[in-house]
Amino acid sequence: MAYGTTYKFGTHYLQLGDGASSETFSAPCGTTSHTRTDNKSNNETLVPDCTDPDLPGQLVYDEVSSSMQIEFSGVVTSESIEDWTDWSDDGGEKNIKWVEPADTYTGPALLTSFSKTGEKGNRWTVSGTVTFVGKPTKAATS
């Protein structure tokens, strides 16, 4: 019997750029969950049967747009909470990298949602969504 090769959590991660002219990227401390979602928007068109218009038509789909977003969650840490809250407060684009074992995606992104949650008896948590602005640049992970 042979098993597939799997990946540990740390092989896929989000990095935020520091905005400097010689930009440095680093992974925010405290994230314990990531989800990459590729979205596709489509238009739907009904094409009728040409020989018998009473027959059901065929639906065809055309892709009209795509986007990539990274959802994250984890614990609030003093090492990274200022980065998240500053980005949330100030808005705007920030260069990010999404790193996977084979490929790295780089480009400007928006912090499209951000939450901090506290509950008595537990540590504060953070969650949010980062959405690439346009198509990210894809390169082989080195």
Side-chain angles (χ1 to χ4, degrees):
M1 176 179 283
Y3 294 99
T5 303
T6 60
Y7 298 103
K8 289 190 174 194
F9 174 75
T11 62
H12 295 66
Y13 53 92
L14 176 66
Q15 293 184 316
L16 306 180
D18 62 7
S21 58
S22 178
E23 194 155 40
T24 302
F25 291 84
S26 60
C29 181
T31 56
T32 57
S33 174
H34 294 109
T35 301
R36 171 187 157 177
T37 304
D38 297 326
N39 298 299
K40 305 288 186 212
S41 295
N42 302 292
N43 281 343
E44 176 183 283
T45 304
L46 174 64
V47 179
D49 186 289
C50 290
T51 56
D52 187 348
D54 290 328
L55 288 175
Q58 179 70 42
L59 290 176
V60 296
Y61 297 89
D62 295 297
E63 186 176 310
V64 295
S65 67
S66 64
S67 66
M68 180 190 293
Q69 63 186 37
I70 309 300
E71 295 174 55
F72 63 90
S73 63
V75 295
V76 173
T77 64
S78 60
E79 292 83 1
S80 64
I81 192 59
E82 212 171 294
D83 293 333
W84 291 122
T85 55
D86 285 351
W87 194 7
S88 180
D89 293 345
D90 299 341
E93 296 178 5
K94 180 183 280 282
N95 289 324
I96 68 163
K97 289 185 178 186
W98 173 247
V99 181
E100 298 179 352
D103 298 308
T104 297
Y105 300 84
T106 306
L110 295 172
L111 182 61
T112 52
S113 71
F114 178 70
S115 299
K116 290 188 290 186
T117 304
E119 183 178 320
K120 184 177 179 178
N122 292 307
R123 303 292 173 147
W124 275 84
T125 60
V126 65
S127 63
T129 303
V130 176
T131 303
F132 277 102
V133 176
K135 185 175 182 177
T137 301
K138 179 180 172 181
T141 299
S142 53

